[in-house]
Structure formats: C-alpha cells, structure tokens
Amino acid sequence: MTILTFLSLLFFSCTSSSKTDKQDVKSPDPSASPYPQLSNQEIVQLYSIAEKVDIIFYNLPMSVNQDDAASAKNTVVYISPVSAIMSHPCKPLGRLSWLSQGEIVREADIYADTGCQYLIFMKDNHPFAANALSESGIQFFNQVLSKVQQQQK
C-alpha cells in the first residue's frame, strides 16, 4: 500500500510539472524584430567615428548630405538603443550611410512611417540588425517629409 501511494504521488507530481512546463513556453512576439539590435557599444563607436552622412531617399526628389562631424554624430543619436518593433510590412524611406575617413562605416534602411519607426542595418546589402528610431530621429524624418510635401504643393 505504501508503494502504491508513493507511485501515485510520483505520477501526479510528474504530471503537474509537465503541465507547468507547457504553460511556461511562450509563443514568439509577432511584432518583435527578426534581427538583433546594435549594442550600445556599437552605437557609441559609430558616434565616435562618424564624420559625414549621406541620406538617399528612394522615392523623394531629394537627398541629404551632412559634411560636418557634428551633424553626422547627431544622426547617430537617431538610433535608439532598443529593439525595433515591426508590427506590419513597411517600405523603407531611404538609405542612411555614415562615413569615416572617406569610407562607409555603417548603413541602414530608414523606416519612418506611422507604425514603422526603425532602422534596419545592412552589411553587404543584407540586413543584420534593427533598432528603433529615437524621438529625435522620428522628428527629423517627419520634418523632411513635411518639407517635401510643402514643396510639391
């Protein structure tokens, strides 16, 4: 009788722990970025070496070139140190390139539409990381879009 009680306790304890294990498994967040984010160290390093910036917009009749280090460093501040939230498919606004000593040191596709406010970093034209846009980055790209809309009227 003692063996039967022990076995039934063992059975119920194993059964309840397997139910708990199944409940702890979480499904992936569908809005989470499929790419890791740039680390704070990578962002700080980019800030320290950025000398120039080129922004080429894919479907706008303009581009932005910043030839002074202060402006180039300011665009690095547009990178939020948090992961991008990608809740639905979006089209990139353009490509942001940071230059140092005449070489492109980092490139990112810009997503600045409502619900799509992040940078996808590219290496050899393939995505490898994604970070949210900071509030200052969102404001900058909204101002650019606003100016283009005013000029087109």
Side-chain angles (χ1 to χ4, degrees):
M1 185 73 166
T2 309
I3 293 176
L4 184 61
T5 306
F6 176 75
L7 288 175
S8 52
L9 283 173
L10 181 63
F11 174 75
F12 286 118
S13 68
C14 290
T15 305
S16 66
S17 73
S18 67
K19 286 181 185 174
T20 305
D21 291 344
K22 289 179 185 174
Q23 291 173 350
D24 289 344
V25 175
K26 295 182 180 177
S27 60
D29 181 358
S31 65
S33 170
Y35 311 107
Q37 65 196 42
L38 284 185
S39 69
N40 285 339
Q41 182 179 355
E42 290 171 299
I43 296 169
V44 168
Q45 189 214 5
L46 179 58
Y47 184 89
S48 70
I49 64 172
E51 296 173 347
K52 296 181 181 184
V53 166
D54 286 331
I55 304 172
I56 298 172
F57 296 98
Y58 294 138
N59 295 311
L60 298 177
M62 63 176 294
S63 64
V64 175
N65 300 68
Q66 298 173 329
D67 290 335
D68 62 296
S71 295
K73 290 177 187 315
N74 191 51
T75 60
V76 176
V77 178
Y78 298 165
I79 306 168
S80 177
V82 298
S83 192
I85 296 173
M86 300 175 175
S87 56
H88 57 278
C90 302
K91 291 184 178 182
L93 178 62
R95 176 72 57 99
L96 174 57
S97 302
W98 288 273
L99 294 91
S100 179
Q101 298 179 359
E103 299 288 324
I104 295 173
V105 293
R106 184 74 70 207
E107 291 185 292
D109 275 350
I110 308 157
Y111 293 80
D113 201 3
T114 303
C116 300
Q117 297 170 328
Y118 50 86
L119 297 167
I120 295 183
F121 293 91
M122 310 295 274
K123 184 178 270 183
D124 299 324
N125 225 19
H126 293 28
F128 75 93
N131 287 60
L133 269 175
S134 69
E135 191 58 40
S136 62
I138 293 167
Q139 289 174 359
F140 173 80
F141 290 111
N142 284 340
Q143 285 177 336
V144 168
L145 292 173
S146 177
K147 286 179 184 179
V148 169
Q149 289 172 347
Q150 287 174 358
Q151 289 176 354
Q152 290 178 342
K153 289 182 179 181

